[in-house]
C-alpha cells in the first residue's frame, strides 16, 4: 500500500509560503526518500523541520551532501528561496534553553529569504538585558518572542513595542511548566494587548506568521512606490 | 482603602494602542466612576469592553447619555480615535453564535479608527459560503478569523489567504467544546502555517493584533512615499 | 499462576466480529504463544494489532513464516476471513503521517474480507486534494476519516457526504495537539452532523464500526432480494 | 451590524440532513425571529434544539402556536419531514436521568420521519433489565445507546448486538463524572469493538448518525429491488 | 445531629496564628451563630473571611453592630489583636481587579496587628508603575505580590527584590486564564528564584505566611537586643 | 549525607499491616541494601513491590538467592507471614493484560498469609465469562475487581455481589484510556453502590484493603466463638 | 413519551442494598411522583438523596408529611429498614464544612438500620482533636473518613487504625481544591495502605461500602454461632 | 549562530542570590563549556543543578576534577560562597524517595553558605517519627518540608510550627500522584495556614526562599545590634 506523498504544490502561489516537511514520526526510509526528492538534483528545494541530528547523521552521504543542515534548530534545506527586500524580523528569546525554537524560526526565515536579527538571553529576571536592546528591536518590522516557563518576556515586551508581535511558548522547564502549557497560557492571557500566539515550540509557525506580515509590508511598499 | 485607578497613559505612545477598561468583575460603582471619568466631559475617551447590557442599562442617564453602546459586542466609548488611512481588516466568522466576539473585534477597530469588513456565517460545513467571499477577503490587508467548536474555518481559510491572519476561538458549544478550549487547540495546531492565535473570546485582542499590522503597513507606506 | 487466555469465541456469532489480539503491553513470550496458537496449524485465524515490527522480527521463523505481516499498520494474521459481498468502505486520511492508523483500518477490513479504497493526503490546507476525490468517496457505502492536529478534514468531509461516517483522531503532532486529544475534541464537536468518533489512533475500531454498517447493508439487501 | 442568518439550504441535498437551529446562547429576539421565519407560514420547517421550556413559554402565542414543542427533549418544529420507509432505530438508555438526551434523539428522528423505538432504564447494575429487551433491540436496523456515569451499558450492549451502534455520553452525575467526560472516555475505550461515539449530551447528533445509516440501508434496498 | 464547632484554640499558642472562620459554603444560621459567639460580648475575637456583603447585610443589627466589616476584602472582625512591633509587609498588586485578594491580605494583617503598605496597579505592561515604587517596596521586611492573568509581575519583582516574597495568583480573567490556574502555574515556574506561592485568591494565606516571617524577624531582634 | 532508612516498625501492631518497600525510583544500590537487610539472615521479612525483573536479575546471587520472586507481579519476599484462618478473597480481572496488577494483589495476600482465588478474563464484552463464575465469587468473603479501559466489569460485578468490594483501575489501553484515568473515573462513578476504589495499578493497596476486611471478619468470629 | 421508572427491585436480594433515588437533575414533578410512590401508603420505603431543602419545602404537604427529612444531608425517607445487629460504623470528618457529606453517610446508615457514631472536627491542623478520639474510633467495626482540601486526615487516620476504612473526598474549598479533585487524589495516593476511596461528596456510597462490611461481619458471626 | 550565554551577574547584588545553571536539556558541549567557565580557574563559582551523574561522569577529568559533585541531589560547584552567620534551616522530608529533592535543597544551602539540618523519613503514616523531632525542628529559623504522594506531612507540620515554612511537592508516586501534581495541590490547599509552595521537585527554589528569610533575619539582627 505504498505511494508517493501528494504535495500541495500550489500552496506558495495561494498563500506565499511553500509546504514544508515535518520529519518527526516519519520513518527513516521516508525521510531519505524525501531528502533525495527535494535535493539539489530533485524538485524545487523544500524546508525540512524537526530533523534530529542523530537521524540526519545516518542519511547516506550522497543524499545529505547537498544539504545545509543545522543541529540546534534541527532543520535542513538544499537551497533557500530568493532573498526578499522586506523589513527585518526581530527574534527575541528568554534564554539559551529556548534556542531550539528561536533558531528554528531563524532558519525558516533564512530559507524563505527574509532578513532577521536574533536577540537572546533577554529573560525578565534581569530586566536590563531586555531594555538595552529595545531600540534595536523596535527598529525591526515585526517581532517574534520565544520563551518558556512563565513566559513573562512576552508581556513585558508586548508593553514596550508597537510592532506586530508573535509569541512562541517553549517546552522548557519541569513540573508545573507542563511541557510548555504554562508558558502558552501566560502568553494567551498576557496583559499586553494584540499578541498572536503559536503552538508550543513552533518556531517554524512563528516565522511563517512574521513572513506573512513583512511580505505584506513589502507588497504595500511596492504598490506605494 | 479606596484610591483612583492608576492608568498607563503612556501606553498609546509606546505601543500605538491606548489602555482599555475590562468591565467584567468590576463593581457597578467602579464602572460608573470610570464611565464618568472617560466620558464626553472627562479625560481622553477610552474603550469599555465586556460591559453587559443589563449593567449599562442601570448606569445613570446623565453618564450613559454621552456613550455609543453596542449590546452584541458589549462595548462602549464616548468618541472614537481619529480615523486612520490604513488597509481594511477582514473579520470572518463561522456563525452568528460567534457574533459577540466578531463584533467586539469590529467595535474595537471602529474605536481605533481603522476600517474593517465583516464576513459572517462562513462555517465550513457549507464550504460555498466561504469560497464565494474569498476574493473580497483577500483584498483586505489583514484577516481576523472567529470560530468556535472545531474551528475548522481557521485551517481552511489559512490555506487560502496569504494575508497576516489572527484567529480567535469562541466559547460557543457544549461538552467537549470545553468552553472554547477545543477550538483554541484546533487553531494552535492548524495544518495551515503562520496563524497567530488569541485567547478564547478575545475579539478585542484580535483587533489590537490586526491594528499593529495595518498601522505598521501604513507607516511603511508613509515612509516609502 | 500461569494459565491460557480465555477467548470469547462466541463473539463472532453474537456481533459479527471475532475477537482480536492487542499486542502492546503483552510480553514477548505471550505474543509468540498466541501467534502459534492462532497460526496456520492452530485454531481459527485471528487478527493481531499493534504488533511492532521490531518485535515481530524477533519471533522465531517457524512461527512467523505462516503470517502476513504489515509494518506500517503493525498488523498480522495467518489467513483472512472469507470475502464478503458488501459495499466498499472509503478510508480518507489527511496526511501520510496518519498512515499507521488509516492502514490499520485498511488491514482490518482486509482480514474481515470487506472491500475498501484508500484516499490519502486529503488535508484541507489544500482543499483541491479532497474535492477532486469527492465523487469516488461518495460512491462508497461508508466513510472512515482519519486525521490528526485540527482534524478539520472530518468537518469538511462531513459536510460533503451523506454516507455513514466514522472519524478517527490520530496522535500526530506536538504541543497542543496533546497526543491526539485536540483532534478528538474537534471531531466530537464537529459542525457537520452525525459523525461517530473512535478513540485516538483506533483504526481497528473504525474498521469494525464500518463493518457493522456494510454487513448490515448486505444483510438488508439479501433480505430484499 | 444586524443581518439575517445565512442558512446552508443546500445541506439536505448534499448530505441528506437539513440544517437545524441550536438555541442555547442565542438571544430571545433571535429565537423568536427564527421561529417565525421557519413557522407554518414561513420557509421550509426546521428543527429547533436546546430550546428551554421557560424560554419557549415566553414566545408570543401567535408564533409558538404553530409549533410542536417537547419539554423533556427541549425541541420544537412546525411540521416534520415526510416519513421514510427505513429500518427502525433502537434508542437504549441507562436511566430516566438520561431522558433529556435519549428523547432529543427520538424527537430528531420523529422530525426526520424515521421510525424508532425507546428502551429506557436498562442500566447494567440490574442486568436483567437489558437482557429481557435484547431481542427487540436486535430486531432494529441501528442502535443508539445513551448513558452517563460509567457508561457501562455501551460496553455490555456493544458485546451483545451486531448492529451499527452509536453511543452518547450524558452529563448526568457529579464529582468524577466530570459533566459527562467520564462517560465519554468509557465509551471511547470500550472493550466492545466498533462503537461510534458522539459528543456529551448530543442526542441530536446520534439521531443524525443513525439516520445516515438507515437512509443508506433504505437506498441500498431500493437499488436492490 | 447539631453540635457546636470544636475550635482549635491552641493554634495561636502552637503556631502564632489563631484559627479563622471561612464563611463560604456555611449556612446563614451557622454564620450568625459564629459572629455572635466571637463578637464583642463573646469569646476572643476572631477573623471572618469570604463573608459576602449581601450576606453580612442580612445579619441582625444587634450582632453585626459590633463588627468592623470591609466589603472589598469580604472580611469582618470585632476587634483586632494587639499591634506588633514588626517590620512592614509590602503588598504589591497588578491591578485593581485584584483588590479582593490584596485587600484580604491587608485586612488579615490589620487583624493580626502587623503593619503593611499597599502598592496597587503595578502591572508590568507599564513597567514604570513598578520601578517608581521599588525603593519603597524594598524598605519593607517581606513582600506579598498579587496578580492574575500571566502573573508576570511576580517574576519581574522577584528579580528586583532580595526580600522574602510570597505570591498569590488571582482568578481574574477568562478563557485560558482558567480561573487563576494560568497565573498559579506562572508563579510556580517563575524564572526568579525563591518565591513561595499560595493558593488562588488566598490573600489570607499570604498574610499568614508573611506574618510567620515578620514575627520571626521580631523575635530574632528581641533575642538580639 | 547517607543514612539508613527509618522504618515504621510499629505499623503492623497499629494497623495489622507491616510496612513494605516500593522499589520504583529507588537506586539499585538502595534496593540491594534493603533486600539484604530484610533477607533470610536479616530483620523480619518484608514485601518488595514494583521490583522489575531486569533489576532483580542484576542483584548479586548471594542476596537474591534467599528470595521468592515473581516476574509478572514484580514482587519479592524472603518468607511470608504466618497463614491466617480468614475468609478467602476473590480477585476478579477483566483480561490477561491486567495480570501485572491482579497478580500483585494475589502475591501481597500470599505474603500476608491470607487465602485468595483468582478469576481472570471476565471482561463484560463476553458476559458469560463472568456469570459462570459468579457463584464461586460470591462464596468468598471479600472481592477485588481489577480492570482497565472502561472498567465496566466493576459496575456489572458490583450489581451482582453483596460482598465488600474493592476496585483497582489499570493503566492498560491508549488514547482516551489516559493511562488508567478513564477506568478510575468509571469505577468512582459506578452505578453499583458501595465500591471502594484504589489508585491506578495499585494491586498492593487492594490486597491491604481486603486484608483489613477479612482480618476483621476473623477477629469478629474469634470474639463470637 | 412518559413512562413510570423501571426500578431494580431485585437489588436488595442480590447485593443486600436496595435501590435509592438520586434527586439532583430530576424535575420537580418526577420527585413528587416518586415521593408519593414510595411514601407511607406506597411501595416499600426508599431513600431519597440530594433532595435540596428548597425543593422539599415546595412538595405538597399531603406528600411530604409522611417523610423524615434532614436538611444538612439533603435526605428523606418514609420509614427506615429494620435495625440490624451489626458492628458500629465510625464516621470521622475533618470539619463542619464537610457535614453535608458526613451526615449523608450517617442518614444512609440510619435508613439501612445500621448503628454508627459521628466524630466531627478532627482536622489534622490540630492533631489533638483526632488523637483524643482514637480509642473510640477503633472500637467500631468499620471507619468512614470524610475530608476536603488536602484530605490529610485520611492518611493520618489510615496509619492509626487497623479497621476497614473508606474515604470520601468533599468538594469543600476553592482554587486548587478543584471542587474536591485535590482531596480525591490525596486519598487515592495516601501513604497509609488499604484505603478504599469513594467519589467526591459521595457519603451515600461510603455508607453502602461500610454496610457491605458490617453486614458481612454480622453474617460471619451468625454462621459462627 | 553560536554565542556565549549572557549571564545576569548583577543578580546577587540585586536579590542576594547569584544566578545558577539548570543543566537538564542543555547539550553536553554546553555543560562542559559552562563547567570550565565557572570552574576553579574561571569566573566566580556558580551552582549547577539537575546535572545527572551519567552526564557528569563523561565530563573530561581536567574539568570535573575541580568540582564537588553530589549524585543524589545532582548538583555541582567548584567552591561555595562564604559561610553566613544565619539561623539554621530545617529540611524535613517524608521519605527517602524524596531525597533527590531534599538533598538538592541541602546542597543549595551548602553552596550559599547557610547552615541547615536534615530530618528524613518523617511521613505521617507513622506520626511518632515526626513528633519526636519536633523540638529540634522548631529550634531552627525556617522550615522546608519535602513530600510526595498526599503530602500530608506539610499540613501536619504546618499545624505544629510557628516558623516560616516552605513546601516542595515531589514527583514520587504513580497513577493519581500525577507526577507530583497531587502533592502540589494538597500543599496549596493545606488546612494549615501560611505555607509558601514551590514547583514540583524544586529543592533549589525552596533553598532560595529559605535563604531570603534567614538572610533577612541576619540583616535584621545586624541592624539591631
Amino acid at each position: 500500500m505504498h505511494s508517493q506523498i501528494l504535495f500541495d504544490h500550489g500552496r506558495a502561489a495561494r498563500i506565499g509560503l511553500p509546504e514544508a516537511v515535518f520529519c518527526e514520526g516519519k520513518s527513516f526510509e521516508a525521510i531519505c526518500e524525501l531528502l533525495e526528492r527535494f535535493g539539489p538534483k530533485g524538485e524545487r528545494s523544500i524546508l525540512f523541520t524537526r530533523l534530529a541530528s542523530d537521524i540526519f547523521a545516518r542519511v547516506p552521504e550522497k543524499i545529505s551532501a547537498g544539504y545545509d543542515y543545522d543541529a540546534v534548530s534541527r532543520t535542513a534545506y538544499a537551497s533557500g528561496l530568493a532573498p526578499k527586500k522586506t523589513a527585518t524580523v526581530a527574534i527575541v528569546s528568554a534564554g539559551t534553553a529556548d534556542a531550539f525554537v528561536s533558531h528554528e524560526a531563524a532558519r525558516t526565515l533564512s530559507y524563505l529569504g527574509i532578513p532577521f536579527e536574533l536577540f537572546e538571553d533577554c529573560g525578565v529576571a534581569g530586566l536590563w538585558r531586555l531594555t538595552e536592546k529595545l531600540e534595536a528591536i523596535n527598529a525591526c518590522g515585526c517581532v517574534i518572542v520565544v520563551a518558556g516557563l512563565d513566559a513573562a518576556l512576552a508581556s513585558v515586551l508586548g508593553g514596550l513595542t508597537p510592532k506586530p508581535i508573535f509569541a512562541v511558548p517553549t517546552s522548557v522547564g519541569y513540573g508545573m511548566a507542563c511541557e510548555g502549557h504554562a508558558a502558552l497560557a501566560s502568553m494567551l492571557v498576557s496583559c499586553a494587548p494584540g499578541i498572536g500566539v503559536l503552538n508550543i515550540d513552533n518556531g517554524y509557525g512563528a516565522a511563517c506568521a512574521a513572513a506573512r506580515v513583512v511580505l505584506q509590508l513589502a507588497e504595500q511598499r511596492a504598490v506605494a512606490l
Side-chain angles (χ1 to χ4, degrees), chain A residues 5-117:
Chain A
I5 295 179
L6 182 62
F7 263 80
D8 181 18
H9 287 304
R11 188 174 294 180
R14 282 201 322 279
I15 70 170
L17 301 162
E19 202 173 3
V21 173
F22 180 81
C23 298
E24 223 166 74
K26 286 207 170 56
S27 70
F28 182 67
E29 290 67 31
I31 290 172
C32 288
E33 193 180 309
L34 288 163
L35 282 169
E36 192 159 22
R37 179 170 164 193
F38 296 101
K41 298 174 187 166
E43 301 178 33
R44 189 177 56 181
S45 171
I46 215 170
L47 178 69
F48 290 78
T49 64
R50 298 266 187 153
L51 178 49
S53 57
D54 58 334
I55 289 176
F56 188 74
R58 289 167 45 212
V59 173
E61 170 71 19
K62 62 170 184 164
I63 297 176
S64 66
Y67 275 86
D68 174 0
Y69 178 75
D70 176 68
V72 171
S73 62
R74 299 169 299 168
T75 54
Y77 54 86
S79 56
L81 304 187
K84 274 87 180 177
K85 290 201 171 176
T86 69
T88 298
V89 175
I91 302 172
V92 187
S93 77
T96 42
D98 304 312
F100 70 108
V101 179
S102 56
H103 287 227
E104 189 186 73
R107 285 274 296 177
T108 301
L109 291 171
S110 285
Y111 164 73
L112 293 170
I114 292 172
F116 66 88
E117 197 168 346

Side-chain angles (χ1 to χ4, degrees), chain A residues 106-216:
Chain A
R107 285 274 296 177
T108 301
L109 291 171
S110 285
Y111 164 73
L112 293 170
I114 292 172
F116 66 88
E117 197 168 346
L118 253 173
F119 303 87
E120 297 188 86
D121 291 313
C122 296
V124 300
L127 267 182
W128 60 271
R129 297 185 296 196
L130 175 63
T131 48
E132 77 178 22
K133 288 167 191 160
L134 189 58
E135 199 178 325
I137 292 168
N138 277 341
C140 296
C142 186
V143 178
I144 291 170
V145 54
V146 178
L149 301 172
D150 53 14
L153 177 59
S155 291
V156 173
L157 186 50
L160 294 172
T161 183
K163 303 290 167 173
I165 177 168
F166 296 96
V168 194
T170 68
S171 56
V172 167
Y174 61 94
M176 281 293 276
C178 291
E179 314 258 293
H181 288 271
L184 174 71
S186 273
M187 286 168 164
L188 283 166
V189 301
S190 172
C191 50
I195 301 177
V197 181
L198 280 293
N199 191 16
I200 298 163
D201 292 342
N202 192 3
Y204 166 74
C208 289
R212 285 176 182 261
V213 170
V214 294
L215 288 171
Q216 184 70 5

